[in-house]
Amino acid sequence: MFSVMSCVVSVPFYTGFIPLLFWSGHSKLARQMILLLAFCDFIGNSIKDVVSAPRPSSPPVRRVTATKDEKENAMEYGLPSSHALNTVCLSGYLLHYALTHGVQNGVTVAVGFALVFTLVMIIGIGRIYLGMHSLIDVVSGISFGLVILAFWLTIHGYVDDFIISGQNVTSFLASLSLLLCFAYPTPEFPTPSFEYHTAFVGAAFGIVSGIRQTYFHFHHEGVPRIFSPQIPLLVFLGRMLVGISTILMVKFCSKAIAKWLLPVMCNTLGIPIVSSCYVPALRGSDSSKSKSDGKQLGYLQKVIAFFPRKAYDVDTGIRFLQYAGLGWSVTDLAPSLFSHLNL
């Protein structure tokens, strides 16, 4: 039971759940949740890698990793618990959205808070039972989650207004994404935390870019919602079939294009790069010396020369573009296909 519940708040679940929110007509909730999730992931994983507190030793603790996602999570540091932190923030924001847009009375508020409290407790106890976290990890995750949720409920309206009607939103988010990738702390030992961070930042950037292009077509507050005459259950199932196939294809294609394009661009600009997994030819290669050494530098190369001459991991850019393409397909390409197919 605890293994199944941990999957409900894992990365694969978010990858499937948030697109369904967009395609069911709840675009505001979906875009807020992906931005909140990216924010939680950056804060939580940054704290993990700064503190570098290990998970419970196994043995004597018996760690249960029933899925590939859990095995990767076990390679991260322990404090705070990301599952507990994300559960508090996302379930809390979902409750806020439901109470804001639904009928409010004492019974619904009490039932809503009871459900959120129960879910958080099950996830927290499950992380300890599965040997993934200590009690301190879980308590700190819940505490950080409550602080982040309170902060987000204060600013989420301003964030949404900026995304919908702000100026230079795409360029601002591109600059912010680049900053967040470079500003991430370096842990004592490498962990998958930075990979998750890059993926969520890329997905958030792609989703916002798509919304900026198609807001008045597919994402405004007047769009039909699921179970309405315009989107009955069969139409929504058709959207799921077409949409999931589309985003998986875009994710694969954007990764392939990025694996070819980024090394070419970096080589042209004289940026030394390495690759830990995506580009076999760059694994372990000595890229500290640019191929442009001894040649006359162009203007862009002279600008690049002011940056530290170290080898950059091109996998970060590939992963960012891959998930940015996936996010864009969720909010732009897939809804466009729905429109053409009358779904």
Side-chain angles (χ1 to χ4, degrees), residues 270-274 285-291 293 309-312:
I271 302 175
I273 55 174
V274 294
S285 61
D286 185 7
S287 301
S288 60
K289 294 183 179 180
S290 172
K291 294 182 179 181
D293 289 347
R309 301 300 293 169
K310 67 176 184 178
Y312 295 96

Side-chain angles (χ1 to χ4, degrees), residues 120-142:
V120 172
M121 289 298 102
I122 290 176
I123 296 298
I125 294 172
R127 302 315 287 166
I128 299 173
Y129 178 84
L130 297 174
M132 297 294 289
H133 287 286
S134 66
L135 178 61
I136 295 176
D137 297 343
V138 172
V139 172
S140 63
I142 294 174

Side-chain angles (χ1 to χ4, degrees), residues 80-97:
S81 167
S82 297
H83 280 69
L85 190 155
N86 293 339
T87 302
V88 169
C89 288
L90 296 181
S91 62
Y93 188 82
L94 185 61
L95 174 61
H96 167 79
Y97 182 86

Side-chain angles (χ1 to χ4, degrees), residues 262-327:
L262 283 182
V264 173
M265 291 178 57
C266 292
N267 182 59
T268 302
L269 296 173
I271 302 175
I273 55 174
V274 294
S275 173
S276 55
C277 59
Y278 287 149
V279 186
L282 296 174
R283 294 179 187 173
S285 61
D286 185 7
S287 301
S288 60
K289 294 183 179 180
S290 172
K291 294 182 179 181
S292 62
D293 289 347
K295 300 180 181 179
Q296 185 176 1
L297 297 179
Y299 176 74
L300 285 177
Q301 291 172 326
K302 290 179 180 179
V303 173
I304 296 296
F306 285 100
F307 290 89
R309 301 300 293 169
K310 67 176 184 178
Y312 295 96
D313 190 352
V314 74
D315 292 355
T316 299
I318 294 172
R319 189 177 299 108
F320 177 86
L321 292 178
Q322 175 188 9
Y323 282 90
L326 184 150

Side-chain angles (χ1 to χ4, degrees), residues 99-126:
L99 294 178
T100 303
H101 293 79
V103 178
Q104 291 192 35
N105 55 56
V107 175
T108 56
V109 172
V111 170
F113 273 98
L115 290 175
V116 170
F117 179 82
T118 302
L119 177 62
V120 172
M121 289 298 102
I122 290 176
I123 296 298
I125 294 172

